[in-house]
mmCIF file of all heavy atoms in Angstrom:
data_model
loop_
_atom_site.group_PDB
_atom_site.id
_atom_site.type_symbol
_atom_site.label_atom_id
_atom_site.label_comp_id
_atom_site.label_asym_id
_atom_site.label_seq_id
_atom_site.Cartn_x
_atom_site.Cartn_y
_atom_site.Cartn_z
ATOM 1 N N TYR G 638 4.212 3.141 27.389
ATOM 2 C CA TYR G 638 4.492 3.906 26.175
ATOM 3 C C TYR G 638 3.253 4.146 25.368
ATOM 4 O O TYR G 638 2.390 3.272 25.252
ATOM 5 C CB TYR G 638 5.515 3.163 25.300
ATOM 6 C CG TYR G 638 6.857 2.934 25.924
ATOM 7 C CD1 TYR G 638 7.134 1.777 26.629
ATOM 8 C CD2 TYR G 638 7.866 3.908 25.804
ATOM 9 C CE1 TYR G 638 8.369 1.589 27.218
ATOM 10 C CE2 TYR G 638 9.074 3.728 26.368
ATOM 11 C CZ TYR G 638 9.340 2.557 27.088
ATOM 12 O OH TYR G 638 10.610 2.367 27.646
ATOM 13 N N ALA G 639 3.161 5.325 24.816
ATOM 14 C CA ALA G 639 2.142 5.602 23.830
ATOM 15 C C ALA G 639 2.415 4.681 22.575
ATOM 16 O O ALA G 639 3.543 4.272 22.342
ATOM 17 C CB ALA G 639 2.136 7.065 23.439
ATOM 18 N N ASP G 640 1.389 4.445 21.810
ATOM 19 C CA ASP G 640 1.532 3.590 20.663
ATOM 20 C C ASP G 640 2.605 4.127 19.704
ATOM 21 O O ASP G 640 3.390 3.341 19.145
ATOM 22 C CB ASP G 640 0.191 3.459 19.903
ATOM 23 C CG ASP G 640 -0.802 2.586 20.680
ATOM 24 O OD1 ASP G 640 -0.412 1.844 21.577
ATOM 25 O OD2 ASP G 640 -2.002 2.657 20.351
ATOM 26 N N PHE G 641 2.664 5.419 19.520
ATOM 27 C CA PHE G 641 3.614 5.987 18.584
ATOM 28 C C PHE G 641 5.064 5.812 19.060
ATOM 29 O O PHE G 641 6.000 5.906 18.312
ATOM 30 C CB PHE G 641 3.314 7.444 18.303
ATOM 31 C CG PHE G 641 3.484 8.368 19.459
ATOM 32 C CD1 PHE G 641 4.727 8.836 19.853
ATOM 33 C CD2 PHE G 641 2.342 8.772 20.166
ATOM 34 C CE1 PHE G 641 4.886 9.692 20.900
ATOM 35 C CE2 PHE G 641 2.504 9.609 21.279
ATOM 36 C CZ PHE G 641 3.777 10.085 21.611
ATOM 37 N N ALA G 642 5.210 5.619 20.378
ATOM 38 C CA ALA G 642 6.554 5.566 20.993
ATOM 39 C C ALA G 642 7.073 4.171 21.213
ATOM 40 O O ALA G 642 8.249 3.936 21.216
ATOM 41 C CB ALA G 642 6.536 6.346 22.346
ATOM 42 N N ARG G 643 6.168 3.239 21.342
ATOM 43 C CA ARG G 643 6.496 1.862 21.674
ATOM 44 C C ARG G 643 7.397 1.239 20.569
ATOM 45 O O ARG G 643 7.013 1.292 19.366
ATOM 46 C CB ARG G 643 5.264 1.022 21.859
ATOM 47 C CG ARG G 643 5.549 -0.352 22.416
ATOM 48 C CD ARG G 643 4.247 -1.093 22.778
ATOM 49 N NE ARG G 643 3.475 -0.394 23.803
ATOM 50 C CZ ARG G 643 2.346 0.251 23.579
ATOM 51 N NH1 ARG G 643 1.819 0.305 22.349
ATOM 52 N NH2 ARG G 643 1.745 0.857 24.609
ATOM 53 N N GLY G 644 8.521 0.731 20.935
ATOM 54 C CA GLY G 644 9.429 0.108 20.034
ATOM 55 C C GLY G 644 10.445 1.103 19.431
ATOM 56 O O GLY G 644 11.448 0.674 18.815
ATOM 57 N N ARG G 645 10.253 2.399 19.644
ATOM 58 C CA ARG G 645 11.179 3.373 19.187
ATOM 59 C C ARG G 645 11.855 4.191 20.312
ATOM 60 O O ARG G 645 13.028 4.546 20.185
ATOM 61 C CB ARG G 645 10.556 4.386 18.247
ATOM 62 C CG ARG G 645 9.960 3.787 16.970
ATOM 63 C CD ARG G 645 9.551 4.880 15.969
ATOM 64 N NE ARG G 645 8.502 5.747 16.552
ATOM 65 C CZ ARG G 645 8.625 7.078 16.594
ATOM 66 N NH1 ARG G 645 9.677 7.718 16.141
ATOM 67 N NH2 ARG G 645 7.602 7.806 17.067
ATOM 68 N N PHE G 646 11.079 4.402 21.327
ATOM 69 C CA PHE G 646 11.565 5.194 22.471
ATOM 70 C C PHE G 646 11.783 4.254 23.671
ATOM 71 O O PHE G 646 11.053 3.285 23.796
ATOM 72 C CB PHE G 646 10.587 6.298 22.876
ATOM 73 C CG PHE G 646 10.325 7.334 21.803
ATOM 74 C CD1 PHE G 646 9.352 8.252 21.985
ATOM 75 C CD2 PHE G 646 11.055 7.339 20.624
ATOM 76 C CE1 PHE G 646 9.082 9.228 21.027
ATOM 77 C CE2 PHE G 646 10.832 8.297 19.656
ATOM 78 C CZ PHE G 646 9.821 9.210 19.874
ATOM 79 N N LEU G 647 12.704 4.674 24.536
ATOM 80 C CA LEU G 647 12.941 3.894 25.789
ATOM 81 C C LEU G 647 13.091 4.834 26.959
ATOM 82 O O LEU G 647 13.955 5.723 26.946
ATOM 83 C CB LEU G 647 14.203 3.030 25.638
ATOM 84 C CG LEU G 647 14.541 2.158 26.816
ATOM 85 C CD1 LEU G 647 13.452 1.073 27.049
ATOM 86 C CD2 LEU G 647 15.903 1.549 26.667
ATOM 87 N N ILE G 648 12.250 4.661 27.957
ATOM 88 C CA ILE G 648 12.398 5.501 29.182
ATOM 89 C C ILE G 648 13.172 4.761 30.258
ATOM 90 O O ILE G 648 13.055 3.501 30.338
ATOM 91 C CB ILE G 648 10.935 5.857 29.720
ATOM 92 C CG1 ILE G 648 11.088 6.949 30.810
ATOM 93 C CG2 ILE G 648 10.207 4.697 30.177
ATOM 94 C CD1 ILE G 648 9.698 7.552 31.168
ATOM 95 N N SER G 649 13.955 5.504 30.980
ATOM 96 C CA SER G 649 14.717 4.895 32.058
ATOM 97 C C SER G 649 14.951 5.955 33.140
ATOM 98 O O SER G 649 14.691 7.146 32.901
ATOM 99 C CB SER G 649 16.046 4.340 31.592
ATOM 100 O OG SER G 649 16.852 5.327 31.042
ATOM 101 N N ARG G 650 15.387 5.525 34.294
ATOM 102 C CA ARG G 650 15.673 6.458 35.377
ATOM 103 C C ARG G 650 16.825 6.035 36.170
ATOM 104 O O ARG G 650 17.114 4.820 36.325
ATOM 105 C CB ARG G 650 14.425 6.709 36.263
ATOM 106 C CG ARG G 650 14.037 5.538 37.134
ATOM 107 C CD ARG G 650 12.679 5.761 37.803
ATOM 108 N NE ARG G 650 12.688 6.869 38.760
ATOM 109 C CZ ARG G 650 11.661 7.433 39.322
ATOM 110 N NH1 ARG G 650 10.422 7.093 38.876
ATOM 111 N NH2 ARG G 650 11.764 8.433 40.151
ATOM 112 N N ASP G 651 17.580 6.970 36.723
ATOM 113 C CA ASP G 651 18.687 6.753 37.625
ATOM 114 C C ASP G 651 18.404 7.562 38.881
ATOM 115 O O ASP G 651 18.623 8.735 38.934
ATOM 116 C CB ASP G 651 20.014 7.144 36.974
ATOM 117 C CG ASP G 651 21.236 6.790 37.822
ATOM 118 O OD1 ASP G 651 21.026 6.507 39.045
ATOM 119 O OD2 ASP G 651 22.336 6.820 37.287
ATOM 120 N N ASN G 652 17.825 6.854 39.834
ATOM 121 C CA ASN G 652 17.411 7.557 41.061
ATOM 122 C C ASN G 652 18.617 8.108 41.821
ATOM 123 O O ASN G 652 18.453 9.122 42.531
ATOM 124 C CB ASN G 652 16.563 6.677 41.983
ATOM 125 C CG ASN G 652 15.200 6.433 41.386
ATOM 126 O OD1 ASN G 652 14.681 7.233 40.628
ATOM 127 N ND2 ASN G 652 14.591 5.321 41.784
ATOM 128 N N ALA G 653 19.757 7.531 41.680
ATOM 129 C CA ALA G 653 20.945 8.049 42.356
ATOM 130 C C ALA G 653 21.333 9.418 41.824
ATOM 131 O O ALA G 653 21.990 10.212 42.512
ATOM 132 C CB ALA G 653 22.097 7.063 42.269
ATOM 133 N N LYS G 654 21.017 9.656 40.578
ATOM 134 C CA LYS G 654 21.283 10.942 39.917
ATOM 135 C C LYS G 654 20.062 11.829 39.759
ATOM 136 O O LYS G 654 20.130 12.899 39.150
ATOM 137 C CB LYS G 654 21.898 10.722 38.565
ATOM 138 C CG LYS G 654 23.248 9.995 38.597
ATOM 139 C CD LYS G 654 23.813 9.844 37.210
ATOM 140 C CE LYS G 654 25.189 9.160 37.239
ATOM 141 N NZ LYS G 654 25.734 8.978 35.905
ATOM 142 N N ASN G 655 18.892 11.399 40.333
ATOM 143 C CA ASN G 655 17.668 12.148 40.232
ATOM 144 C C ASN G 655 17.351 12.499 38.783
ATOM 145 O O ASN G 655 16.936 13.660 38.489
ATOM 146 C CB ASN G 655 17.747 13.406 41.071
ATOM 147 C CG ASN G 655 17.663 13.116 42.555
ATOM 148 O OD1 ASN G 655 17.446 12.026 43.002
ATOM 149 N ND2 ASN G 655 17.820 14.196 43.375
ATOM 150 N N THR G 656 17.538 11.546 37.902
ATOM 151 C CA THR G 656 17.416 11.765 36.496
ATOM 152 C C THR G 656 16.535 10.737 35.803
ATOM 153 O O THR G 656 16.695 9.527 36.063
ATOM 154 C CB THR G 656 18.775 11.793 35.841
ATOM 155 O OG1 THR G 656 19.610 12.829 36.436
ATOM 156 C CG2 THR G 656 18.656 12.152 34.314
ATOM 157 N N VAL G 657 15.684 11.205 34.908
ATOM 158 C CA VAL G 657 14.923 10.346 34.015
ATOM 159 C C VAL G 657 15.334 10.621 32.574
ATOM 160 O O VAL G 657 15.601 11.801 32.299
ATOM 161 C CB VAL G 657 13.422 10.498 34.214
ATOM 162 C CG1 VAL G 657 12.941 11.920 33.913
ATOM 163 C CG2 VAL G 657 12.648 9.456 33.410
ATOM 164 N N TYR G 658 15.416 9.557 31.772
ATOM 165 C CA TYR G 658 15.859 9.727 30.394
ATOM 166 C C TYR G 658 14.797 9.265 29.432
ATOM 167 O O TYR G 658 13.927 8.460 29.755
ATOM 168 C CB TYR G 658 17.094 8.868 30.148
ATOM 169 C CG TYR G 658 18.241 9.141 31.114
ATOM 170 C CD1 TYR G 658 18.406 8.349 32.253
ATOM 171 C CD2 TYR G 658 19.185 10.163 30.868
ATOM 172 C CE1 TYR G 658 19.439 8.604 33.097
ATOM 173 C CE2 TYR G 658 20.219 10.387 31.721
ATOM 174 C CZ TYR G 658 20.353 9.630 32.860
ATOM 175 O OH TYR G 658 21.401 9.839 33.710
ATOM 176 N N LEU G 659 14.867 9.772 28.219
ATOM 177 C CA LEU G 659 14.077 9.267 27.138
ATOM 178 C C LEU G 659 15.021 9.102 25.933
ATOM 179 O O LEU G 659 15.433 10.112 25.349
ATOM 180 C CB LEU G 659 12.914 10.170 26.773
ATOM 181 C CG LEU G 659 11.959 9.660 25.701
ATOM 182 C CD1 LEU G 659 11.179 8.468 26.214
ATOM 183 C CD2 LEU G 659 10.998 10.734 25.213
ATOM 184 N N GLN G 660 15.304 7.862 25.594
ATOM 185 C CA GLN G 660 16.055 7.546 24.395
ATOM 186 C C GLN G 660 15.146 7.451 23.242
ATOM 187 O O GLN G 660 14.171 6.684 23.272
ATOM 188 C CB GLN G 660 16.802 6.213 24.556
ATOM 189 C CG GLN G 660 17.618 5.781 23.341
ATOM 190 C CD GLN G 660 18.800 6.680 23.018
ATOM 191 O OE1 GLN G 660 19.479 7.118 23.965
ATOM 192 N NE2 GLN G 660 19.010 6.953 21.751
ATOM 193 N N MET G 661 15.342 8.275 22.234
ATOM 194 C CA MET G 661 14.506 8.363 21.076
ATOM 195 C C MET G 661 15.263 7.844 19.829
ATOM 196 O O MET G 661 16.221 8.481 19.463
ATOM 197 C CB MET G 661 13.974 9.759 20.874
ATOM 198 C CG MET G 661 13.267 10.352 22.093
ATOM 199 S SD MET G 661 12.954 12.165 21.894
ATOM 200 C CE MET G 661 11.866 12.206 20.468
#
């Protein structure tokens, strides 16, 4: 995570759905 994102944003992926997420 970039410094500005750490603690606020969360990245995740679901390879079964070929999808990456960014929770902000």
Side-chain angles (χ1 to χ4, degrees):
Y638 296 92
D640 288 343
F641 66 80
R643 190 173 297 109
R645 298 192 299 126
F646 299 173
L647 182 67
I648 191 170
S649 62
R650 68 190 294 167
D651 185 344
N652 287 337
K654 297 182 178 180
N655 288 353
T656 302
V657 61
Y658 305 94
L659 185 69
Q660 177 68 40
M661 304 170 61

